[in-house]
Amino acid sequence: MTGPESTSDPFSNGHGFLPSTQAPAEVAPDALWLVFSGDKVLLGPELGLPNQRPGDSEGAVYLGQQSGRQVWGARLVGEAAQPFGLHRLRGLYGRVPDWLWLLGGYAYQIAEWDRTHRFCGNCGAHTLPDAAERVRRCPACGLSVYPRLAPAVMVLLTRRQEGRLQLLLCRSPQFPAGMYSANAGFVEPGESVEHAAHREMLEETNLDIANLRYFDSQPWPFPHSLMLAYSAEYAGGEIIPQPGEIEDARWFDEADLPALPGRASIARRLIESVVGPRAGD
């Protein structure tokens, strides 16, 4: 199990971000703006953030301070104007500083939540932000809507076969060609994370697990998940991939692994915590 110093979120590891809902009276001239169009963020030619709000943006929301500088989020309603361009957040890992990638994930979740909850889901009235906490409230019926999280559990299953360490890795139909990862799925209402780990593995691979051990967690803003990663030991069963969910699942020797997820993903850290660092991305 890793300690809190290794968690990947914008509120730890000295990344310098302090979230806040209490917007200042004026936008500072050196403010940082995270402006999104869908799942893409607006960046300059050197992959830097704009320090002025683009004129063709809407839905400004105050996020807090990054190393003493105001941070705002907004949504682009037109085309990106030169010299700025739009970049998919997931593909920026390793190309921008860690603080920017992590802050971008937080900003995207908040901006998307703010965009999709401008109106009450109960009565349709316009909701209002609360200065004291991150919530939108309906003045008509009193409904309060907080940013949502979808917890997901990831399990890396291992076994010994003729003295060799093997890892169970799975392919989703959405993965890039040749890539495999640890099994993962969403926690359902009414169940614990541990129960979800057993259920997901059984449903998607037909395998039983034992000795479930917590590894670490990671906010995963695509669009609003929280990934909780575990390792476990094989406890029986023959692999039967769940149709529509798992394209392929198999045991891999630790010395002969397939293409793995990029280093932005907790899946890569989970796998490397067992087999050691792998070369490449």
Side-chain angles (χ1 to χ4, degrees):
M1 173 177 172
T2 57
E5 289 302 314
S6 67
T7 53
S8 297
D9 68 73
F11 310 109
S12 64
N13 300 333
H15 288 300
F17 178 65
L18 296 174
S20 176
T21 61
Q22 300 182 14
E26 296 182 356
V27 178
D30 66 343
L32 299 173
W33 283 89
L34 289 121
V35 181
F36 295 91
S37 177
D39 63 349
K40 296 180 179 180
V41 63
L42 190 71
L43 295 176
E46 301 299 322
L47 299 183
L49 293 173
N51 58 13
Q52 292 184 0
R53 178 182 176 181
D56 51 354
S57 64
E58 64 180 13
V61 56
Y62 181 65
L63 301 173
Q65 291 193 355
Q66 174 67 41
S67 301
R69 299 175 66 179
Q70 294 178 13
V71 181
W72 295 78
R75 300 184 304 276
L76 193 68
V77 294
E79 299 294 325
Q82 294 295 329
F84 295 97
L86 291 168
H87 303 263
R88 291 193 184 279
L89 184 61
R90 190 181 304 206
L92 289 172
Y93 185 81
R95 300 174 59 204
V96 298
D98 286 351
W99 69 263
L100 177 52
W101 194 81
L102 297 167
L103 180 59
Y106 174 74
Y108 173 68
Q109 291 183 82
I110 298 301
E112 188 66 7
W113 160 79
D114 188 73
R115 180 185 72 84
T116 56
H117 292 86
R118 310 291 283 185
F119 296 92
C120 177
N122 182 53
C123 71
H126 197 288
T127 60
L128 300 174
D130 191 312
E133 56 181 335
R134 189 71 68 192
V135 59
R136 295 191 69 94
R137 303 190 191 278
C138 177
C141 72
L143 180 71
S144 297
V145 183
Y146 293 84
R148 60 177 176 167
L149 287 177
V153 62
M154 172 178 289
V155 178
L156 178 63
L157 193 59
T158 63
R159 73 175 184 181
R160 288 281 174 180
Q161 187 76 357
E162 298 179 350
R164 305 189 312 275
L165 177 65
Q166 293 186 327
L167 284 62
L168 179 84
L169 298 176
C170 305
R171 260 196 63 78
S172 164
Q174 286 77 41
F175 283 179
M179 193 185 86
Y180 285 72
S181 184
N183 188 54
F186 287 104
V187 180
E188 294 185 353
E191 68 178 359
S192 67
V193 175
E194 292 74 17
H195 182 274
H198 285 265
R199 175 187 53 77
E200 281 288 337
M201 188 64 74
L202 188 60
E203 286 181 356
E204 297 193 348
T205 68
N206 193 48
L207 300 181
D208 293 314
I209 65 177
N211 299 326
L212 189 67
R213 298 179 300 278
Y214 176 71
F215 170 70
D216 206 348
S217 65
Q218 179 185 29
W220 194 243
F222 305 107
H224 47 71
S225 297
L226 175 65
M227 189 65 72
L228 305 158
Y230 290 78
S231 62
E233 296 173 7
Y234 170 66
E238 296 295 327
I239 297 175
I240 303 178
Q242 184 180 20
E245 293 290 333
I246 301 297
E247 186 175 87
D248 186 31
R250 66 179 79 169
W251 294 102
F252 290 90
D253 285 354
E254 64 171 323
D256 188 25
L257 297 180
L260 300 175
R263 299 190 185 280
S265 169
I266 194 173
R268 181 62 169 261
R269 290 196 292 118
L270 176 61
I271 294 169
E272 291 187 344
S273 73
V274 173
V275 301
R278 303 282 102 171
D281 289 334

